[in-house]
Amino acid sequence: DIQMTQSPSSLSASVGDRVTITCRASQSISSDLNWYQQKPGKAPKLLIYTASSLQSGVPPRVSGSGSGTDFTLTISRLQPEDFATYYCQQSYSSPFTFGPGTKVDIK
Amino acid sequence: QLQLQESGPGLVKPSETLSLTCTVSGGSISSNTYYWAWIRQPPGKGLEWIGTIYYSGNTYYNPSLKSRVSISVDTSKNQFSLKLRSVTAADTAVYYCARIFGGPYYFDCWGQGTLVTVSS
């Protein structure tokens, strides 16, 4: 199985901050990397697919980059609705696996 | 607008079989563009892909659960279902059904999730 790691596991930030979350795969996954946002008690929501493609309806302050084993999710100006947990997920090979999550909370 | 809704018992006894159904509305489960999946999340923990089915009935399972899992589809009802046998407390989780865009693969639409507790 491809193991996914994320850093940091949590971070505190203020509205307006720029936030970057890193995801690393245990082997190359090309650009087959997706990002999801999850709020408490809710289902995950797709933000970014294939490393850098913005899902319809997601604000452009959210962006993704990377390929191979190292990926980043960036939120350029954090808004109140962005406080949540973020997961990366690889779809390069079965079984699909998720990172452990990064919790973004209010400083 | 596509909607997915999980249904099934919220409490299952140890060693019994967990059974859930996902009803798809606002779109056809028989679309050749999408696959359909089950994912679970133990309380306070991360996400685990359980398995995927195509409308034709082709299935793909997580090897960690493969010996206990079966997923089926009923195109006439626009539903797909999950069975997980011989459950233990470790199977307590929120179970989500989701749609997978079929190439590249990503989970683009999720149900709200249903908590299943394994307890006697």
Side-chain angles (χ1 to χ4, degrees), chain B residues 90-104:
Chain B
D91 294 309
T92 294
V94 175
Y95 285 76
Y96 296 100
C97 59
R99 186 179 75 173
I100 302 179
F101 182 80

Side-chain angles (χ1 to χ4, degrees), chain A residues 1 32 34 36 38 41-46 48-50 55 87 89 91 94-100, chain B residues 39 41 45-49 52 60-64 96 100 104-113:
Chain A
D1 298 4
D32 294 332
N34 310 309
Y36 303 85
Q38 187 179 35
K42 300 294 186 182
K45 171 189 171 185
L46 177 68
I48 298 284
Y49 60 94
T50 58
Q55 172 69 346
Y87 294 93
Q89 174 252 325
S91 57
S94 183
F96 295 162
T97 47
F98 292 84
Chain B
I39 302 111
Q41 184 172 37
K45 297 188 178 180
L47 298 157
E48 179 181 34
W49 170 70
T52 292
Y60 312 85
Y61 297 134
N62 191 324
S64 68
Y96 296 100
I100 302 179
Y105 302 105
Y106 47 84
F107 302 99
D108 69 341
C109 189
W110 297 63
Q112 66 184 23

Side-chain angles (χ1 to χ4, degrees), chain A residues 5-23:
Chain A
T5 58
Q6 289 181 234
S7 61
S9 57
S10 65
L11 67 90
S12 295
S14 300
V15 172
D17 283 353
R18 179 185 181 90
V19 167
T20 298
I21 299 168
T22 297
C23 176

Side-chain angles (χ1 to χ4, degrees), chain B residues 4 32 35 38 52 57 71 77 83 89 91 93 100-101 113:
Chain B
L4 293 83
N32 59 10
Y35 294 74
W38 289 98
T52 292
I71 298 175
K77 294 182 179 179
K83 291 189 184 300
D91 294 309
I100 302 179
F101 182 80

